[in-house]
Each structure stands twice: as structure tokens, then as C-alpha cells.
Amino acid sequence: IAAIAFAAVLHAARADAATAAGTNISNAANATYSDGSGGNFAVNSNTVTIVVQNVAVQSVTNVTTGQNVAPYQTVTDKFLLTNAGNNAGKFQLTALPAAIAQSGNAPVPASVVLTPQGASATTVAYTGNATTDLAAVNAAMNAISIPAGNTLAVDVKYSTGSFILTAAQIDQTTLSATLTYAGGTGYAAQTSAASSAVQNDNVQEDVSWDLELREVSPTTSGQNIKYDLLGANSGSYAAQPVALSSIGLPGTGVVPAIDRVPLFNGNPLALKTIPTLTLSAANGYAGTAATIYYTTAAAPFTSGTTWTAITGGTTVGQLGFATYLAVVVTGPSSFAGKGGSSSDTANVPNPAMDLHFEVAQPTGAGSSLPGAVTNMANSMVGSNATDVNGTLTPLLTGPNSTSSYDNTAVNATNLNGMAQNTLAVGDSGASGSGYSNRTAGNAVSGSVNLGPVGLPSATGAFNYATGAAGYYDSGAADNNHDYTAIGAYPGQTAGAFGQAPVYYTTPASPAAIVFPNTVLNNGNVSDTFTITSSAIGATSGWTVAYATNTSCTGATATFTTATVPVAGSSTFYACYTPPGNTALIIFNPYGFQLTATSASDATGANSTYNLLSPGGVVGFYKEGVASGTPTQGGQPCVTVPGPGCTIAYTLTYMNGNPRSGTNNIFGGPTIATTGGTLVSNGISGFQIFDDGVNGANQNAATGLKNNWGNLALTSGLTAAPVDSSGKCTFYYLYDGSTLTASNGTLTPPTPASPATAYRCSYGANTLVADLLQTLTFSVTIK
């Protein structure tokens, strides 16, 4: 009966809310009974009291993760702290919640706002000292008691900082907190384990106006110089209008392009056509109106500067004295952001705007010189972002921008100079978004081909990848990847047992390895060409010089060709000297990429490769690995080869020439001095000799000859070798005589008749270039 009463208490209906800490739960059993005389009795047990303890349970939830935000904004990351336990408690942070940039610009912490459920907010402003700020936030939280089941909202505020020039970045805020319950009579204080949540914000680049000025130089007298001003917003937000009255343009708008009409000898060149404007909504144009204006005024511009709109009635004659052109686009979001498509200053692949105009060629002294006409264009584009106070002035992009906006108001003072084409090409100020420049001559074009001797227009597809065995050819062949490939240093350095002797050692005093190269003038003016080089492979300690003779007499570290007439060519010699007594890894290319650059036109350049293949045209190495169970001794065969162990030999070989292209040169190390012997990139008549007793298979380092075919020492060759190429015809010797190119039998070896030597003959097959092959066979130690 007592047990039944106790169970009834335990199964009483539970309240929905957790029982509060400090609650006493008491239980006393009672019983009744009667005796044999008919008397009824009652008895009570002792009372058992349980004090409900603190059960501090809390959670941290991030509410606003994945926000897309702009630069110069104050961002709020919202977190909700929930007291899910059975007592009122106070939250504490384990670390200061401050956004951390995963890449790009660092955000600036601002404040934390604490809002208890049903109560007013408390703001704690950051001072910049993390320790001080964490103490201040926790002091404020310690003054707030959160009842069981209630929440505390924590808003972490920060500024996204300066303009992000390239791709979007992630700002990450982590909030970690504990919850502490005070103790009382019969129950102890408790602090929960820390819980945390992470908030990620996508900080996207603001308006990023890219402006490209393309120029087409004339090819004959009388033709116009043609310009196209291309613009697009590669940012993530739309361009906004700016005030234009301070420079005389009407009202507000975006000026995606403003360009000074190019000068020659200080005078604007005459516009020869009516400028035209092409706009593409598909590429971001979203304005409501677009107008081309011109002025005949000189900078600096003021509010009184007169600009005239170009309309259908404008004539070329009216534009004869124009000094500047400007495009004005109106509308609240003139150019939509593309996001994630940031281009560089020389590339607007998908223009939202194209301003086309043409000017007359200059005449007079100097007019045909390269760079006789210089043009630089600029822009005035408003930002979509606002600062902490919402008062950020319009942003100006122009030649003064270097990875960030010029955060100054658009006015005559800071615009003048940017729109006057006063910066030269290569000027340190000419970088960033929102400008472009070009130089044009009067029908002048520099162009060059550089290639193997006598073959400057050869094509190839050389592409070096460090560490790769097949390193030569990748992609389509062109005349920037042609090559001259020669073999050098055929002496193989020995390696220890089980290791591949994969290198060749240069002589103590190496002679220069000489490569002849030919330049071809493809331009339309007589020209000289500067030759520069960049190393490929491990060429530390190599020297590079240039000469006009095969012996490299008088070679110099820098080199410019003599004047080469139009369609003419010139041959020079590149002289490479490696360091002495230096190991060169076989199957790796050594050498240099040579580039010829036109002196009259820096954009006219072409490359060729001079490649050294250590080991000669065909390189190969052998390695052996022992395995099996020894018949003597207990050491493993892999470390102590002994009787009963099987040695598996692998011979790796490759034709070291590249594969691709036409008119490339392949040859031996004397190609420059004697004309050499040119070979095809597919080696024919290829044979491998492996004489186990006699022949020329002698180790250059030890003087020892092969002895794997000595049948008193090994089993000899008891099975046919395996060749990965599938092109080998194998010939065998069984009598221990010397192996030659013509003797041997086609009969494969068997255990009953082991061979003492073999050769692999490709016959009519070719050993193709740049393809590793392996040949394997085994013998057993007796």
C-alpha cells in the first residue's frame, strides 16, 4: 500500500514549465491497516525532501546570417540568447563579438546593443580595445537578469570599411556565451557550457566603374584615328547620380565617360564624325536618358562652363572646335551592378556603354612617331553605399583611384586635372577603376616574330609544368611557344642500388651552350628589337649572354638588335653557361624563354623557347628493387638482397624532344657552331641493349659491367621483358657472348634456357617525343 501511494505522487501531472531551482519536492508515505479484533490503524513514514537544483541550459542563435551588404555601411548581426533552463540567469560572453574579414578589407567594430525580452535596449559602444570592450559588454549583461524561458537579443554592429575592389568577401562574427544561475538554500550555483553561433555576411563590392578606351590607328594617310570608349559597372550595386552643376553640366546624373579630344602639338585634333553612343541593357544600362555633350572651353570647368548637347541636327562643322566630350546618363540607377565580374583597366568584355568618335590624323613634324597622339578618359560615378551616419559624399572614380574610391565631393577642383589627359601612360597615378588610356601614332605599327634560326614564324605549344615528366606540350600551338630543343651532357651519373640515377653532371668548366635565334620585323617601320629572357626549370647559377657570332665572342648581358628593315630578319646567338660539376635532372627542361620587343611599339613582342634536355635527345635510367624470401639469412630482401631474392629492374626511357608545332628545331649540342644534325621529334630505329655479361653496359662511376646474366650468380633472364610501349621486338642471347645490333634470336627465354642478354628493337616504329616508357624484367639471385 505504501509503494502504491509513493508511485501515485511520482506520476502526478507535470507542469509545462521546468520546475524552478530551489523548489522542494517532499514525499512521505502513509499506510492504514486493521488488526484481527477489527481495529483500524494509520501510520506515516518519514518525510523525504528533494531540492530542485539549477539546470542552466541556454542556446545562441544567429538570426541574420547570409546578409548581402555594401562597403561603408553599418551592418547589424543579430543573435538571440535563450534561457532554456529552470532559473533566472545572467549571460556572459566568452570573447568580444567582432566581425573578422575572411579576405580583403578589415571591418571596423562599432557597438553591441542588448535588448532583454519585453524590456528596453542598452548600447555599449566599442572603444577599439578588445579587452576593455569585452569587460564593458559583460558588465552590462551582468546587470540584466533573464527569466527562465526568456531571451536576450544581442545586436553586433560594425562598419564594413573601405571599398572592396575585386570579389565579394565574407565578414564573420562569432558570438559565444555562457549562462550563470545563482545558488540558494539547498541548491548550488551553476554555469552552463558555452554555446556559440556564427554569422556570415557577404560584403560585396560597391559600384566599380571600369572604363576602356580602344583605339584603331590608321594604316594609310587620310584615314581617321578611331576611338571607342567602353564602360561597365562590374560592382554589385547600381551607379548613382552625382551633382554636375559645379562643372557646368545640367542637373545630376552619371558621367560614365568624359574625354578630352586628343591633342597634337597642343591643339585638339578635329572630330571627323558625329560621336555615337551605344547602350546595352543586357550589360547593365538602366538609365532613363543618355546624352553626349561637347564643349569648346578649356579646363578648369566651372558652373559657367557651356556644354552643348549633340542632337540629330548637329553637324561635323559645329564640332570642329570641340575640346571635350562627355556622356551624361540620368536616372536613379543609371548602370546596374553585374557583381563578381570585375575586370581590369584594360578589359571591358561586356560593355554597357560604347562612345564612338573619330579624329583626324595629325600632320607635320613628329606626327608619324609612335605615341604621337595620347588619350586618357575618365568618369564621374556615384556610389550606392552610405557611411555610418548616412552622409557619405558621392564617390568619384578616376586616375587618382588606387584600389579604393576617392571619397571627395564631385566638384570643379578635384575633377580638373583628371579630365585633362595630363597623365602619361605608365604614370604611377594611372591605376584603379574608372579610367583608361591609349596612345596612337599616325599609321605606325611595331610587330615581330622570334623563333629558331631561320624559322622565326615557327609554331609550338611548349608549356613547362614543374615536377611533371611530360612537361612540353599543352594546348594549341602558336608562335609564342615555338622552341629550339637540343640535348646536352650525355654522361650518366651512377646511383646506388634501388635508386634511379636520374641526373647528369656538367663538366668542371662548362662551355657555353649556344642557341641561334632569328627575329622577323612584321611591322610597317624599320625597327630594333630588345631581347630579354626568363628562366625555366632550376637554372640557378646559369649565366645568360647574347652575341652576333657562334663562338659568343664579345657576348653581352643585354642585347638589342641592329635596325631591321620591314619584312627583314636578323639572327643572334643566346649563350647559356651552366655552373660546373652540377647535377641536372634528366627529363626536365632547362633553358630560357626569350622575348623580342619592338622599340617603336612596346605592344609588339613575341617569344620563343631555348630548351636544353640533359641526357641528350633520348634519356633513360634504371632502378632495381629486391623482393621475395631469401634462402639464406633472415633479413628482408628489400633491404638486404641475398640468395633467393628476386631483383625487379625497371628501365625508364623517353625521347626528350617536344611534340607540337611546325618548323621547330631539334638537334645535338653542336647545332650552333657546326650546324648540327637536325633530328625529327619522332625517333626512329630505336633500340635498347641490356647485356648481362659483356657489351658496353658499363657503370661509368665504378667501371663495373653488368653481371645479371652471369648464370653462376643469378637465374638469368627466364621470361620475356615487358615493355609499356608495345613496340619492342626482343632479341636474346643465350651463350654469354657480346650483344650487338644484329645478333640474337627471337626465341623468348624460359626457366630451362635463361638468356644472358637482350635488346629491344623498335624497328620501323618511332619513339614519339615527350612520352615516358618503361621496360621491366626480373632475375633471381642464386
Side-chain angles (χ1 to χ4, degrees):
I1 297 174
I4 295 173
F6 183 71
V9 173
L10 288 181
H11 288 85
R14 296 187 178 94
D16 291 336
T19 303
T23 301
N24 292 332
I25 300 177
S26 299
N27 189 355
N30 63 83
T32 61
Y33 62 94
S34 60
D35 65 8
S37 63
N40 295 314
F41 300 90
V43 63
N44 296 322
S45 73
N46 64 298
T47 300
V48 177
T49 302
I50 301 296
V51 180
V52 176
Q53 298 297 302
N54 277 318
V55 182
V57 179
Q58 51 88 18
S59 63
V60 179
T61 307
N62 56 314
V63 180
T64 52
T65 193
Q67 300 181 101
N68 292 329
V69 296
Y72 295 107
Q73 287 186 337
T74 295
V75 179
T76 300
D77 288 347
K78 291 183 175 292
F79 296 87
L80 194 65
L81 282 57
T82 301
N83 180 354
N86 64 343
N87 201 353
K90 296 178 179 180
F91 287 99
Q92 293 282 277
L93 302 183
T94 62
L96 186 71
I100 298 174
Q102 303 303 294
S103 62
N105 297 306
V108 181
S111 63
V112 164
V113 180
L114 307 173
T115 308
Q117 183 177 337
S120 58
T122 299
T123 299
V124 181
Y126 286 160
T127 66
N129 182 298
T131 301
T132 301
D133 293 340
L134 176 61
V137 173
N138 277 337
M141 297 181 85
N142 198 50
I144 304 172
S145 180
I146 306 298
N150 280 25
T151 60
L152 173 64
V154 180
D155 293 349
V156 181
K157 296 180 180 293
Y158 68 92
S159 172
T160 52
S162 58
F163 170 71
I164 312 291
L165 182 64
T166 55
Q169 76 174 40
I170 301 296
D171 283 352
Q172 187 175 91
T173 302
T174 301
L175 190 145
S176 177
T178 60
L179 178 63
T180 298
Y181 290 168
T185 303
Y187 62 99
Q190 187 184 63
T191 298
S192 73
S195 295
S196 62
V198 178
Q199 164 85 33
N200 287 322
D201 297 322
N202 305 310
V203 187
Q204 298 174 307
E205 58 178 334
D206 197 11
V207 179
S208 179
W209 185 254
D210 290 300
L211 189 63
E212 178 182 2
L213 179 56
R214 295 181 183 174
E215 165 270 320
V216 178
S217 291
T219 56
T220 62
S221 61
Q223 288 184 337
N224 300 334
I225 302 176
K226 300 177 181 179
Y227 292 100
D228 278 276
L229 261 167
L230 309 178
N233 177 10
S234 64
S236 297
Y237 297 91
Q240 300 298 303
V242 296
L244 304 174
S245 58
S246 63
I247 59 171
L249 285 166
T252 62
V254 166
V255 181
I258 184 168
D259 192 9
R260 185 176 189 176
V261 176
L263 307 176
F264 181 70
N265 288 338
N267 297 313
L269 296 170
L271 289 167
K272 298 295 287 183
T273 61
I274 302 296
T276 59
L277 187 64
T278 302
L279 300 164
S280 171
N283 293 328
Y285 173 72
T288 56
T291 305
I292 306 173
Y293 290 88
Y294 73 93
T295 185
T296 58
F301 306 130
T302 68
S303 58
T305 299
T306 299
W307 294 85
T308 304
I310 295 178
T311 66
T314 303
T315 65
V316 173
Q318 291 172 310
L319 301 175
F321 297 99
T323 54
Y324 287 87
L325 295 173
V327 176
V328 177
V329 177
T330 57
S333 300
S334 300
F335 291 93
K338 304 297 285 184
S341 61
S342 180
S343 62
D344 58 36
T345 56
N347 180 25
V348 178
N350 300 300
M353 175 214 72
D354 181 349
L355 172 63
H356 177 85
F357 66 95
E358 302 180 14
V359 297
Q361 284 192 48
T363 59
S367 62
S368 63
L369 295 175
V373 179
T374 302
N375 191 2
M376 177 176 285
N378 304 271
S379 57
M380 296 163 57
V381 179
S383 165
N384 189 62
T386 58
D387 66 0
V388 176
N389 302 312
T391 58
L392 188 69
T393 54
L395 302 180
L396 172 68
T397 61
N400 286 352
S401 291
T402 54
S403 298
S404 64
Y405 279 118
D406 178 3
N407 294 316
T408 52
V410 176
N411 55 49
T413 302
N414 61 43
L415 178 63
N416 293 327
M418 291 186 181
Q420 294 183 60
N421 287 330
T422 57
L423 293 177
V425 176
D427 190 298
S428 61
S431 62
S433 177
Y435 81 96
S436 187
N437 59 65
R438 284 287 187 274
T439 58
N442 185 17
V444 173
S445 173
S447 181
V448 62
N449 273 359
L450 172 63
V453 59
L455 302 166
S457 299
T459 61
F462 176 81
N463 182 40
Y464 175 67
T466 302
Y471 47 76
Y472 276 114
D473 301 315
S474 176
D478 60 46
N479 63 15
N480 268 304
H481 293 83
D482 49 274
Y483 39 77
T484 303
I486 67 173
Y489 305 122
Q492 181 175 348
T493 302
F497 175 82
Q499 296 178 348
V502 295
Y503 55 89
Y504 294 87
T505 301
T506 61
S509 299
I513 303 171
V514 185
F515 281 79
N517 299 271
T518 298
V519 294
L520 171 67
N521 183 357
N522 284 330
N524 60 1
V525 292
S526 296
D527 210 345
T528 61
F529 303 95
T530 300
I531 307 301
T532 55
S533 65
S534 59
I536 61 170
T539 51
S540 175
W542 293 60
T543 61
V544 181
Y546 308 94
T548 56
N549 56 82
T550 58
S551 61
C552 290
T553 303
T556 57
T558 60
F559 185 75
T560 300
T561 67
T563 300
V564 182
V566 174
S569 62
S570 175
T571 294
F572 67 92
Y573 299 85
C575 315
Y576 307 112
T577 305
N581 290 324
T582 299
L584 304 181
I585 300 174
I586 68 171
F587 303 150
N588 272 10
Y590 292 78
F592 299 82
Q593 178 186 11
L594 296 187
T595 301
T597 303
S598 163
S600 66
D601 181 355
T603 64
N606 189 246
S607 294
T608 192
Y609 286 87
N610 291 174
L611 307 175
L612 303 170
S613 179
V617 172
V618 177
F620 60 93
Y621 65 88
K622 183 188 287 186
E623 55 189 331
V625 177
S627 63
T629 303
T631 56
Q632 296 179 11
Q635 297 296 324
C637 289
V638 70
T639 55
V640 184
C645 297
T646 296
I647 304 175
Y649 291 106
T650 299
L651 192 149
T652 302
Y653 60 98
M654 185 177 79
N655 172 357
N657 287 315
R659 273 182 280 179
S660 298
T662 58
N663 294 326
N664 300 286
I665 286 184
F666 311 92
T670 59
I671 183 173
T673 54
T674 66
T677 301
L678 302 188
V679 298
S680 67
N681 57 342
I683 303 298
S684 59
F686 180 68
Q687 295 194 81
I688 293 174
F689 298 86
D690 201 333
D691 193 321
V693 181
N694 294 295
N697 303 105
Q698 180 169 307
N699 187 306
T702 64
L704 298 176
K705 291 186 177 182
N706 288 352
N707 62 355
W708 64 260
N710 186 331
L711 300 184
L713 302 176
T714 77
S715 64
L717 191 63
T718 59
V722 176
D723 180 66
S724 62
S725 74
K727 296 180 178 180
C728 282
T729 298
F730 286 103
Y731 297 84
Y732 308 95
L733 291 184
Y734 294 94
D735 56 2
S737 61
T738 300
L739 181 67
T740 68
S742 58
N743 65 350
T745 175
L746 290 171
T747 303
T750 64
S753 56
T756 58
Y758 71 88
R759 63 185 168 97
C760 150
S761 176
Y762 265 47
N765 296 317
T766 60
L767 173 58
V768 299
D770 186 24
L771 182 63
L772 284 174
Q773 305 286 4
T774 57
L775 188 157
T776 60
F777 70 97
S778 299
V779 298
T780 300
I781 303 173
K782 289 184 176 180

